[in-house]
Structures are given as structure tokens and as C-alpha cells.
Amino acid sequence: MYTLDPREITGRDNYKLMSGSVVPRPIAFVTTRSDENGVINAAPFSFFNVVSSDPPLLSISIARKDGMMKDTARNVLAHKELVVHICDEAIIEEVNETAAILEPHESELERTKLTTVPSTKVSVPGIKEALIRMECELYQHIPITNDEGKPVSDLLLVRIVQYHFSEQVYYPDKGYILMDHLKPVSRLAGNDYAKLGERFTVIRPE
């Protein structure tokens, strides 16, 4: 057993250990609106999860680069709106293209074949090809600082204000999501991703 003190290794090494250990991670594909001519920015984030069902909250942690906010975080703080999409096998290659580092006035979507669709409760459009998309509003912003007091990431808690589910993945009679039809993709470490894979059931104790 190797025992490591996270305070004695670099932030990069901590990232490698955490991203390789906390797996698989769901991927949030996020669209936001920029102040730069209203350009729609899009980017994937795997430091993402559910926080609460009442109210319906999601968390997205967005790392800064040299202390500077990324377009997504800056746009959400400016406009309080975003659309979160669940990544699936059919769109993951296109989503990966949006991870490219571009200027704020450039839309990552121009690197893809993805198309937008108007939202119903927020001004930011969603991605038509995504099987699940959730219109959201900013609930809380929590800046994360390192031991030197330098801001290193932005934790966004966002509230879902509208769901959109493809007929392929939603069973309305019971309100279930059909995993085998959604085919979600998860993030591992490095350049690796994972499909849903084998499932098994464990009954919780009463």
C-alpha cells in the first residue's frame, strides 16, 4: 500500500490521482451565452454531479487557467443561465471537439456538426442532438482557492428549471430514464472514457 500526503505533491499530481481514482465520472456538456456578440460557448466538464432533488441542483466545478476564469464560468456568472446536457455515445466525439481552447468570441460549436435548439425558460439554446438536456439557472457560486489564497476553480451550483428528454430515453408512465437507450459516456483519466458496461443489482437493507 502506497501512502501519499496530498500536501507534499503537486496540484497536477493530485489531479492525476483524483481523476484516476474517482471513476467513472459523468460528463456535463454545457452551453452558455457570451457577452462577445452573443456567441454560444460550449464545453464538457467531468467534475460534475447531482447535489439535491429538492430543489433540483447540479454541481459543476470548472478549473481556472492561471487564475483566469474559463468562458463557461464567466458566462454563467454574467447571465445566470446555462444548459447542461448528458453526454452519450452518439455525440461524444463532437463534444470532445469543444474541449479546444478558443477565444471568448469564438464558438466551440463551429468545430462540430452539432446544432442548437431554443430553450423554453432560459435564453441559452440547447444542443438538439443530446438525448437529455436541462435548462438551468445559477443557484450559488463558490470560488475555490488553494493554500496560497489563489483562486483555482469555480464551483457552480445550478438549479434545473426545465427538463428535456428524448422519447428514446424517457418512460413517462413511470418517470424512468432508460439507461440502455441513453448509452451515457463517462470520464476516466487521461484520454480515456467508458461506456455503461455491465450492471448488477444490490438490494439496500431496510
Side-chain angles (χ1 to χ4, degrees):
M1 179 69 70
Y2 292 98
T3 302
L4 303 176
D5 186 334
R7 293 168 297 184
E8 295 178 355
I9 60 179
T10 66
R12 178 62 182 170
D13 285 338
N14 273 306
Y15 174 83
K16 289 163 60 178
L17 295 174
M18 293 173 68
S19 63
S21 298
V22 184
V23 291
R25 298 187 307 281
I27 304 167
F29 182 39
V30 180
T31 52
T32 56
R33 186 182 300 279
S34 171
D35 281 333
E36 300 284 341
N37 300 320
V39 163
I40 302 304
N41 292 126
F45 301 96
S46 69
F47 281 24
F48 158 65
N49 221 309
V50 173
V51 173
S52 165
S53 59
D54 183 19
L57 299 179
L58 304 172
S59 66
I60 306 169
S61 181
I62 303 176
R64 296 193 183 193
K65 185 174 178 59
D66 298 324
M68 300 294 292
M69 280 187 184
K70 290 185 177 176
D71 293 342
T72 297
R74 186 173 57 253
N75 293 346
V76 170
L77 290 183
H79 301 288
K80 318 299 183 188
E81 296 180 334
L82 63 159
V83 181
V84 177
H85 310 76
I86 301 301
C87 291
D88 60 72
E89 292 179 29
I91 64 171
I92 188 58
E93 294 285 350
E94 300 290 344
V95 169
N96 184 56
E97 282 296 314
T98 68
I101 300 174
L102 304 180
E103 295 297 321
H105 66 276
E106 298 177 297
S107 175
E108 294 81 2
L109 293 175
E110 293 180 2
R111 298 173 58 95
T112 77
K113 296 178 182 177
L114 298 173
T115 56
T116 59
V117 61
S119 292
T120 56
K121 292 190 176 179
V122 300
S123 64
V124 179
I127 300 301
K128 183 178 182 180
E129 291 79 6
L131 298 176
I132 294 178
R133 67 180 188 273
M134 295 167 278
E135 299 177 26
C136 300
E137 295 177 347
L138 179 64
Y139 180 84
Q140 187 176 0
H141 167 232
I142 304 171
I144 306 297
T145 57
N146 63 15
D147 291 342
E148 288 72 45
K150 175 184 176 183
V152 292
S153 61
D154 295 281
L155 176 59
L156 306 178
L157 301 184
V158 302
R159 180 169 185 154
I160 301 169
V161 296
Q162 189 78 68
Y163 296 105
H164 299 278
F165 299 111
S166 165
E167 294 84 353
Q168 295 175 240
V169 303
Y170 183 60
Y171 183 26
D173 290 348
K174 292 190 176 181
Y176 290 165
I177 304 300
L178 305 174
M179 289 292 103
D180 291 332
H181 293 220
L182 176 59
K183 297 183 179 180
V185 172
S186 59
R187 192 77 168 86
L188 300 178
N191 293 319
D192 292 339
Y193 294 79
K195 298 180 181 181
L196 189 59
E198 181 181 352
R199 286 184 287 166
F200 60 93
T201 300
V202 178
I203 305 300
R204 295 180 62 177
E206 296 182 359

